[in-house]
Amino acid sequence: MNERTLFPLIDKLARCHQLTEAEYARLIRFRTPETAAHLAALARTAREAVYGTEVYTRGLIEVSNFCRNDCYYCGIRRSNRACERYRLAPEQILACADAGWQAGFRTDRAYTKARITKLETERISSELERNRVVVVAGFQGLNKLDDITTLGRGGSDTSAVAIAAALHADRCQIFTDVEGVYTADPRKVRNTRKLEEITFDEMLELASLGAQVLNNRSVELAKKYNVELEVLSSLNPVPGTVVKEVVKDVEGMLIKGVAKDTDVAVITILNVPDEPGTSFKIFGLLAQKNINVDIILQSTGRDGKKDISFTCAESEAETALRVLRESAKFDQVTCDETCAKVSIVGAGMQSHSGVASKMFEAMSNNNINIKMISTSEIKISCIIDREDADKAVSAIHEMLFD
């Protein structure tokens, strides 16, 4: 391997893009002074970007890749070991935790989607007091039995926010493949706008409704501990989007974004007894299996019976069906996995009328049928056919923003 093939791998790793197993192996085997110098330059650039060219005091960088479930654990170990092998000059030492759990993440026992229960910051704080840059592999933790757990989808963002909250940081910067939070996915919708700032509540709704720039768990944690977030591009050094509690000129922009979520299944239970305790029985059993339920629709009772429909993640639909049929003893249970959810979010809807009608008009003009509707003070969501999702987002965005 020569410099021409090696340095792109290092740059790819530095920008938080996942390397293949073969690329990791090639990077680790190839050890030269030039490689160390290149890594030193990357570390210097990162530190200078945060603390300036003259001041090298403290640093904290949360670096991780996107992956699935437990496979991510192996990738993080490989990436951090690669950093360990290239120890830099004394003024640029990387103090690497070999795995996220070594940084002090304690979690519950929900494997593949564990939640952080405590963060022990002694190790991180000790390294920071020694003026070292700390590279923490997020996404992992230890449960009370000291078994390794993974945080699941959004675990990297959540880990970064948890560290920022525990260390009382002024801001947590999340570097990703886009330049900030847009009014819709700029790769699929024309004339989108990048937002300078957005409230926690609005970002939490967008993240929960399918916007992939931030995970809802990280936003929820940031709101709880009032950690200001900034979404930035890892490729282009331009200002991003700030997520915080209060933003300026709330009424200037009624809607902050249009989002879609195709990981949706609609489960319907027919002829449910119309009596007290039935809903508790259904959703209590689902909660025991850690199944998150979103939209719930209940029909008007007739002849002592009613129908209940709800949405959940498509990946959890099979478990939900099994629980309802085997534990709750419901025979008439159906599942529709051909649906998607499109939503609009904006705090301005609280004091302005006509937003919902424009959303419905946009879908009507494009012959898109609405199956379910859910509203709150700052969002409206509709369940539609999955094949119409992209068309619906474009039509709604055009109606509300153009």
Side-chain angles (χ1 to χ4, degrees):
M1 180 184 292
N2 54 36
E3 293 182 4
R4 181 175 299 178
T5 57
L6 174 68
F7 287 171
L9 295 183
I10 299 176
D11 290 331
K12 185 179 178 183
L13 180 63
R15 293 188 177 109
C16 306
H17 294 298
Q18 183 184 2
L19 300 185
T20 65
E21 188 170 350
E23 287 174 331
Y24 275 114
R26 286 156 55 195
L27 181 61
I28 291 174
R29 284 199 303 267
F30 195 84
R31 311 177 205 176
T32 68
E34 291 78 11
T35 304
H38 193 62
L39 282 173
L42 293 173
R44 189 179 303 111
T45 299
R47 185 177 287 193
E48 289 176 1
V50 179
Y51 302 104
T53 57
E54 301 297 332
V55 182
Y56 295 123
T57 54
R58 300 184 178 185
L60 177 66
I61 302 174
E62 193 278 341
V63 176
S64 42
N65 304 314
F66 291 101
C67 194
R68 295 181 180 177
N69 298 332
D70 295 312
C71 296
Y72 186 67
Y73 170 72
C74 299
I76 287 297
R77 288 181 63 88
R78 285 199 301 271
S79 65
N80 269 19
R81 282 177 174 172
C83 292
E84 284 277 14
R85 289 178 181 272
Y86 298 106
R87 289 282 182 176
L88 308 179
E91 68 274 14
Q92 296 291 343
I93 291 177
L94 293 178
C96 297
D98 190 40
W101 53 267
Q102 290 179 307
F105 289 99
R106 309 297 296 194
T107 73
D108 59 21
R109 300 180 63 183
Y111 295 100
T112 74
K113 52 182 178 181
R115 289 190 169 271
I116 299 171
T117 57
K118 183 181 179 182
L119 179 55
E120 300 166 350
T121 61
E122 289 81 3
R123 176 167 180 165
I124 295 176
S125 298
S126 174
E127 296 292 350
L128 292 176
E129 290 295 336
R130 298 163 67 184
N131 296 332
R132 293 185 174 182
V133 174
V134 183
V135 180
V136 178
F139 192 82
Q140 313 147 23
L142 289 178
N143 63 20
K144 63 181 181 180
L145 299 177
D146 288 338
D147 294 326
I148 295 176
T149 59
T150 51
L151 305 184
R153 183 180 179 184
S156 302
D157 294 351
T158 304
S159 300
V161 175
I163 293 174
L167 297 179
H168 306 289
D170 296 327
R171 177 176 291 186
C172 176
Q173 295 180 316
I174 304 292
F175 289 85
T176 182
D177 60 347
V178 294
E179 296 178 358
V181 180
Y182 286 79
T183 52
D185 188 341
R187 295 166 294 187
K188 297 182 179 181
V189 180
R190 295 183 299 107
N191 301 325
T192 57
R193 307 177 192 176
K194 185 174 75 174
L195 305 174
E196 292 185 4
E197 53 187 15
I198 186 173
T199 67
F200 285 129
D201 289 334
E202 290 171 324
M203 190 66 244
L204 183 57
E205 289 286 4
L206 281 174
S208 302
L209 296 170
Q212 298 178 357
V213 64
L214 281 177
N215 185 267
N216 61 314
R217 290 172 61 185
S218 65
V219 181
E220 181 181 353
L221 196 63
K223 175 178 171 61
K224 180 178 180 180
Y225 294 100
N226 198 27
V227 176
E228 191 171 286
L229 297 177
E230 185 176 13
V231 182
L232 298 159
S233 169
S234 59
L235 304 176
N236 300 319
V238 296
T241 300
V242 177
V243 186
K244 55 186 180 179
E245 186 65 38
V246 180
V247 301
K248 296 177 292 184
D249 193 20
V250 174
E251 293 189 9
M253 197 172 184
L254 297 183
I255 304 300
K256 291 296 180 67
V258 184
K260 71 166 186 177
D261 185 5
T262 56
D263 183 23
V264 175
V266 178
I267 295 179
T268 301
I269 312 171
L270 302 174
N271 296 323
V272 177
D274 189 9
E275 58 189 26
T278 303
S279 296
F280 168 70
K281 176 182 179 182
I282 293 172
F283 296 106
L285 289 170
L286 295 174
Q288 291 176 15
K289 297 296 183 179
N290 292 317
I291 297 175
N292 290 320
V293 174
D294 186 17
I295 299 175
I296 302 175
L297 181 65
Q298 179 176 298
S299 67
T300 303
R302 63 188 186 284
D303 300 327
K305 301 288 185 181
K306 60 186 176 183
D307 300 334
I308 295 179
S309 297
F310 64 88
T311 63
C312 65
E314 185 177 359
S315 58
E316 297 178 335
E318 184 178 348
T319 302
L321 287 173
R322 184 172 63 253
V323 168
L324 294 173
R325 289 168 178 166
E326 297 178 2
S327 300
K329 305 301 182 182
F330 291 113
D331 296 327
Q332 296 177 285
V333 184
T334 64
C335 180
D336 184 356
E337 297 182 345
T338 64
C339 297
K341 178 171 59 180
V342 293
S343 309
I344 58 174
V345 174
M349 287 191 291
Q350 298 180 63
S351 55
H352 291 77
S353 60
V355 178
S357 66
K358 289 184 178 180
M359 180 183 186
F360 302 151
E361 179 185 355
M363 288 191 281
S364 174
N365 292 341
N366 287 269
N367 198 32
I368 298 172
N369 184 46
I370 301 174
K371 299 181 177 181
M372 298 173 68
I373 300 173
S374 174
T375 65
S376 73
E377 291 183 338
I378 64 171
K379 66 99 174 174
I380 302 173
S381 295
C382 298
I383 300 297
I384 62 175
D385 287 333
R386 188 171 300 176
E387 61 183 14
D388 293 330
D390 288 334
K391 181 170 63 173
V393 171
S394 296
I396 296 168
H397 190 276
E398 182 179 356
M399 175 69 72
L400 296 175
F401 290 97
D402 291 354

